[in-house]
Amino acid sequence: MRLLVIGGTGFIGKHVAQRLIEAGHAVTVFHRGQTGADLPTEVNHIFGERSDLASFSPEFRDLEPDVALDMICYTGQESLALVSSLQSACKRLVVASSMDVYRNYGRLLGLEQGPPDSPPMDEDSPLRESRYPHHAISKSPRDFAATYDKIPVERTVSEAAMLQATILRLPAVYGPGDKYHRTFEYLKRMDDRREKIILEETRARWLWTRGYVENVADAIALAVTDERAASRVFNVGEPDALSEADWVRSIGQAANWRGEVAALPREKMPAHLVAPYRFEHHLHCDTSRIRRELNYSERVPREEAMRRTIDWERSHPPDEIDMSGFDYAAEDAAQADLTDSRGFLPA
């Protein structure tokens, strides 16, 4: 197959490109040219800015891809340009979306009110009514956070009359190269020989679907190359969602940490560990559809995935560490106060 990948040089995309090349497909990656050293030598390149996508329509038509994959479509405006640029070039389009489209995410952030939707959420579960979920943290109208929203992206590509769109709702993705360093806040405490890691009790029970980067890339590559994925929506992620407490324990196992995870009531937590989220709203999603319809399964077991992640995190810590988030004196005081009064709650 001839395949076009838009933004295939990043954390997940480079693994997708690798999988597609390994499967024998002809892959062209559209990117800015600022990264890409990790791509296979067999990849063809089109260099350009995402904001100028429309001007590349003739090149996309000449390429005649069987399927296009967009890894970096983040706004409604970008999705309109995407459809306009591709609708005369190919028949199938796969777009990486996010599980943050679900209503529980809006309620987790406090953008919407109402009781939690019972997990796990499947592809037909209610979506957010609120828009631009990160607008509050944007610093200017041009800031990425000001206009980011996958819901208008999904709507635009789904309604494109000349394209069969596949939407992949991705989880929290972890693994080597994760710019968010999703394991670091806990791994640092483990490597600092903290005997206990404390979590706010509601957060300790909070469920979040995650996925190891190479496994997520496998799912994306499968959706690109399997015709059965046309015009379908799939949740992508591990079959079971770990609670935050079990996520910490899985990091601890990979890190050879022998400490304890403990939970405290919110009012007893140190201020630097109180997150502004409503953790009764889980982000646990049902990923059985892609397994059932496309025969997807993970290649890398969770234990091995965590081992690789921890090895990378230890050798690639964040360039800047905000030490105010590691106030161990305050954490010790909170633990001592509760131990003296009534002991720890189970995490």
Side-chain angles (χ1 to χ4, degrees), residues 155-227:
R155 185 167 297 159
T156 298
V157 300
S158 296
E159 294 174 353
M162 299 179 67
L163 289 168
Q164 293 180 310
T166 301
I167 294 168
L168 303 176
R169 292 174 179 161
L170 304 188
V173 183
Y174 65 94
D178 173 19
K179 67 179 181 180
Y180 297 111
H181 295 273
R182 288 182 171 89
T183 61
F184 181 75
E185 66 173 308
Y186 301 125
L187 180 61
K188 175 173 170 53
R189 288 177 167 82
M190 294 170 186
D191 287 347
D192 287 345
R193 302 187 181 217
R194 301 292 295 168
E195 294 182 0
K196 283 189 174 68
I197 291 178
I198 57 174
L199 300 172
E200 188 269 316
E201 57 186 345
T202 307
R203 183 176 185 178
R205 298 189 296 269
W206 181 61
L207 301 172
W208 193 8
T209 295
R210 299 174 172 88
Y212 178 62
V213 60
E214 293 183 52
N215 292 333
V216 171
D218 284 347
I220 296 171
L222 179 60
V224 168
T225 56
D226 194 324
E227 289 287 343

Side-chain angles (χ1 to χ4, degrees), residues 250-327:
S250 70
I251 296 169
Q253 182 178 6
N256 198 29
W257 177 67
R258 300 290 182 250
E260 177 185 355
V261 182
L264 300 181
R266 187 180 184 89
E267 65 272 12
K268 295 289 186 178
M269 288 290 290
H272 69 284
L273 294 182
V274 176
Y277 304 123
R278 298 165 58 191
F279 287 111
E280 65 271 23
H281 299 277
H282 299 284
L283 295 182
H284 174 198
C285 292
D286 179 357
T287 63
S288 62
R289 177 184 288 181
I290 193 170
R291 302 170 192 280
R292 182 175 63 252
E293 296 187 10
L294 304 186
N295 301 318
Y296 169 72
S297 62
E298 283 83 357
R299 279 196 305 154
V300 183
R302 181 181 281 147
E303 287 188 8
E304 175 63 17
M306 292 305 306
R307 185 192 66 77
R308 295 181 190 179
T309 302
I310 296 312
D311 287 348
W312 176 84
E313 189 71 78
R314 281 175 165 158
S315 59
H316 298 82
D319 293 334
E320 297 181 5
I321 301 173
D322 181 1
M323 293 306 297
S324 66
F326 298 92
D327 186 346

